[in-house]
């Protein structure tokens, strides 16, 4: 039986996957939940995420474990939504550049050692396990295929979760402008919004993506921030057999529910500039090259036409690993901040909701507490 925590009032700030997932899990536990968003749902990082569900390559043992559990929750959701176009598990394919930076053999050995489902394939063998890829684009060192990986269309899922939240009695406040956490008597007591709205709460979760470090700083806490500006480009729908997520030297991409692809890359981030008014300058040549690089790795090198692109901060903690849990010394103040928003979206909401309503710390989150940054600062100062 699920215990009831209906007496507890929790306000969640953030309309992305972390905020919405946490709000739904809190409501499922019986808490009185208010979800506050500055603008529309999925209008920030969750709306421009490649949303690749994976734990490939090299990670700490604790981070890998959490990501694998996160993938497990997505698989459970997929089993309950069989055939859903917005959540697919048809594998991921990765290859590196044909130069000294190539670590495919090392990555494959590592994934085998930790039990992560992995296949090392020569270019000519890729079509046997996943379709739609241009074998000529794969480097001579081969590619890793991870059959258990997938992708999710986060805006679609967020819409589904918001409907569940309201059906459970949760209150949803959108377009409130920037929100801040009210702290009185040394603890979080609610949220104040730029439009004048104020919500009283027994606990507050800040899940505002790239804005989390600055909000924590206002409360006197340091969270190291490595957030870059990123670009996600979407093509118009076209005919393709592609099913897997591709992570290649010059482009990462995946299919979309409507027959298009979305793609991004590390190099394109370096070509983005932020203007004095806060907008981002995206050069047409950057978008054109991304679509060209995507075409190069697809079978038949189809001509890809631009449908849309989205640009903005991509949340990345300074040490690369998630930041989830309470701010020390401020009872009732919780944060959720991660580069792995898609992979960890469901499990983070589940774990942080349980912590908020029960006060029981999850051992799965022990390494990912915000306090690790404060300890580091103290150590440097001593």
């Amino acid at each position: 039986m699920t215990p009831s925590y209906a007496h507890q009032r929790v306000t969640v700030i953030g309309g992305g996957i972390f905020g919405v997932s946490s709000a739904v899990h809190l409501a499922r536990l019986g808490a009185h939940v208010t979800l506050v968003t500055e603008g529309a749902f999925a209008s920030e990082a969750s709306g421009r995420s490649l949303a690749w569900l994976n734990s490939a390559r090299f990670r700490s043992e604790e981070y890998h474990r959490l990501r694998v559990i996160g993938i497990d929750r997505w698989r459970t959701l997929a089993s309950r939504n069989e055939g859903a176009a917005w959540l697919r598990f048809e594998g991921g394919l990765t290859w590196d550049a044909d130069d000294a930076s190539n670590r495919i053999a090392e990555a494959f050995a590592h994934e085998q050692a930790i039990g992560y489902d992995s296949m090392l394939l020569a270019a000519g063998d890729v079509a046997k396990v996943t379709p739609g890829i241009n074998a000529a684009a794969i480097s001579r060192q081969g590619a890793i295929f991870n059959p258990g990986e997938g992708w999710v269309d986060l805006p679609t899922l967020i819409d589904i979760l918001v409907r569940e939240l309201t059906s459970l009695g949760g209150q949803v406040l959108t377009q409130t402008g920037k929100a801040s956490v009210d702290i009185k008597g040394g603890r979080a007591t609610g949220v104040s919004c730029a439009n004048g709205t104020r919500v009283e709460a027994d606990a507050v979760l800040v899940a505002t993506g790239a804005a989390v470090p600055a909000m924590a700083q206002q409360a006197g806490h340091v969270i190291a921030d490595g957030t870059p500006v990123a670009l996600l480009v979407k093509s118009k729908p076209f005919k393709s057999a592609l099913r897997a997520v591709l992570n290649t030297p010059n482009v990462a991409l995946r299919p979309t529910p409507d027959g298009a692809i979305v793609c991004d890359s590390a190099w394109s981030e370096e070509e983005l500039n932020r203007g004095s008014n806060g907008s981002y300058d995206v050069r047409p040549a950057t978008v054109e090259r991304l679509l060209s690089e995507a075409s190069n790795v697809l079978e038949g090198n189809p001509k890809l036409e631009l449908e849309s692109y989205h640009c903005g901060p991509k949340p990345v903690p300074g040490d690369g690993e998630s930041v989830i849990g309470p701010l020390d010394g401020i009872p009732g103040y919780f944060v959720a901040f991660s580069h792995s928003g898609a992979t960890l979206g469901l499990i983070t909401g589940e774990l942080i909701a349980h912590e908020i309503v029960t006060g029981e710390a999850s051992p799965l989150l022990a390494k990912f507490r915000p306090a690790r940054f404060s300890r580091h600062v103290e150590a440097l100062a001593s």
Side-chain angles (χ1 to χ4, degrees):
M1 295 180 62
T2 301
S4 174
Y5 299 92
H7 63 282
Q8 193 161 9
R9 302 167 303 169
V10 185
T11 298
V12 179
I13 309 174
I17 184 58
F18 273 8
V20 175
S21 171
S22 299
V24 168
H25 280 94
L26 284 160
R28 289 174 181 172
L29 290 173
H32 178 73
V33 183
T34 302
L35 178 61
V36 175
T37 74
E38 177 179 349
F41 290 108
S43 60
E44 294 295 332
S46 289
R48 52 176 183 268
S49 171
L50 194 69
W52 174 23
L53 309 176
N54 79 95
S55 189
R57 308 290 288 214
F58 308 99
R59 308 179 190 280
S60 71
E61 181 180 347
E62 296 87 350
Y63 200 27
H64 173 70
R65 181 186 305 118
L66 186 61
R67 289 173 70 97
V68 168
I69 296 170
I71 294 170
D72 171 75
R73 297 303 190 270
W74 285 110
R75 286 195 166 279
T76 300
L77 185 65
S79 71
R80 295 171 179 169
N81 294 271
E82 188 173 352
W86 47 267
L87 176 58
R88 309 300 300 172
F89 279 97
E90 300 195 51
L93 186 74
T94 301
W95 68 87
D96 291 352
D98 184 8
D99 57 30
S101 68
N102 192 294
R103 300 181 70 188
I104 282 294
E106 183 184 354
F108 175 64
H110 171 72
E111 291 177 5
Q112 279 199 313
I114 62 175
Y116 192 66
D117 198 1
S118 179
M119 304 166 63
L120 180 59
L121 303 170
D125 294 326
V126 167
K128 298 175 184 177
V129 298
T130 188
I133 292 104
N134 175 21
I138 299 172
S139 56
R140 60 188 173 86
Q141 294 86 350
I144 294 174
F145 183 66
N146 301 111
E149 295 179 352
W151 59 269
V152 59
D153 185 73
L154 287 176
T156 300
L157 174 66
I158 286 171
D159 182 61
I160 292 169
L161 292 178
V162 169
R163 291 201 300 269
E164 180 183 351
L165 175 62
T166 56
S167 73
L168 292 171
Q171 184 179 13
V172 175
L173 304 176
T174 61
Q175 307 291 344
T176 65
K178 290 188 181 299
S180 60
V181 180
D182 297 329
I183 300 175
K184 295 181 181 178
R187 67 165 297 120
T189 59
V191 170
S192 293
C193 305
N195 69 352
T197 300
R198 186 179 185 279
V199 183
E200 294 185 355
D202 302 303
V204 176
L205 171 64
V206 174
T208 52
V212 169
M215 294 183 69
Q217 188 173 30
Q218 291 173 358
H221 282 256
V222 174
I223 295 177
D225 187 14
T227 296
V229 177
L231 171 68
L232 187 78
V233 171
K234 182 179 181 182
S235 75
K236 292 181 179 179
F238 66 103
K239 186 175 182 180
S240 174
L242 182 70
R243 297 291 180 270
V245 181
L246 303 187
N247 185 21
T248 81
N250 292 323
V251 67
L253 61 89
R254 66 159 171 85
T256 67
D258 60 355
I261 62 156
V262 288
C263 57
D264 65 12
S265 70
W267 62 261
S268 64
E269 295 176 4
E270 300 173 1
E271 297 187 2
L272 304 174
N273 297 303
R274 185 168 186 171
S276 58
N277 63 352
S279 63
Y280 297 95
D281 177 31
V282 180
R283 295 188 301 171
T286 302
V287 174
E288 291 170 8
R289 182 185 165 191
L290 262 177
L291 291 174
S292 176
E293 296 287 2
S295 175
N296 288 342
V297 301
L298 295 175
E299 185 178 32
N301 303 131
K303 178 176 175 54
L304 302 180
E305 298 181 48
L306 174 67
E307 178 176 296
S308 62
Y309 65 81
H310 300 278
C311 181
K314 177 170 65 177
V316 179
D319 61 3
E321 298 199 341
S322 296
V323 185
I324 308 168
L327 294 185
D328 282 1
I330 310 179
Y333 195 136
F334 297 81
V335 300
F337 175 51
S338 178
H339 174 47
S340 307
T343 300
L344 299 182
L346 297 183
I347 189 61
T348 293
E350 176 185 328
L351 296 178
I352 198 67
H354 186 265
E355 284 200 0
I356 290 171
V357 298
T358 68
E360 300 172 1
S362 169
L364 288 170
L365 299 179
K367 188 184 177 185
F368 308 110
R369 301 306 188 182
R372 71 183 188 266
F373 298 109
S374 298
R375 290 193 292 268
H376 179 67
V377 171
E378 292 168 1
L380 290 176
S382 63

